Amino acid sequence: MAKFWTEDEYAITDAAYQDAVEKKKRGGRVVRSDIVDQCKRGLPKRDPSSIGPHLGNLTTARSEVGLAVLDEVAPFANRPEKLVIFLKQKYRLR
């Protein structure tokens, strides 16, 4: 059964994603599996197979609100509205 993502989980995954964005801006190498691994460490109770698709949702939602996205994480079409709202609040976007 699918488990809904919490705001705490959004915070952990977006922090890992943003870390990768910053690393790439500094000229570092970004690998999707490294982002997934960082999320797994922060979310030990989350089913690991759900993290990859969630990162795709995060790419889509970040793009929609004008945040930097990673080519290394392919977007997913059906991102939850709750994720967009979370990002707008976190980054104080309208």
Side-chain angles (χ1 to χ4, degrees), residues 13-65:
T13 55
D14 185 62
Y17 196 106
Q18 185 62 33
D19 286 349
V21 166
E22 295 300 323
K23 181 179 181 181
K24 191 169 185 175
K25 283 182 183 177
R26 294 188 305 272
R29 182 171 170 260
V30 172
V31 180
R32 182 183 177 278
S33 62
D34 291 343
I35 303 166
V36 172
D37 289 344
Q38 183 178 347
C39 292
K40 285 180 186 177
R41 287 190 298 276
L43 301 168
K45 295 181 180 179
R46 171 60 67 176
D47 179 354
S49 68
S50 69
I51 293 172
H54 171 69
L55 291 174
N57 287 335
L58 196 49
T59 294
T60 300
R62 287 176 62 97
S63 177
E64 286 180 22
V65 299

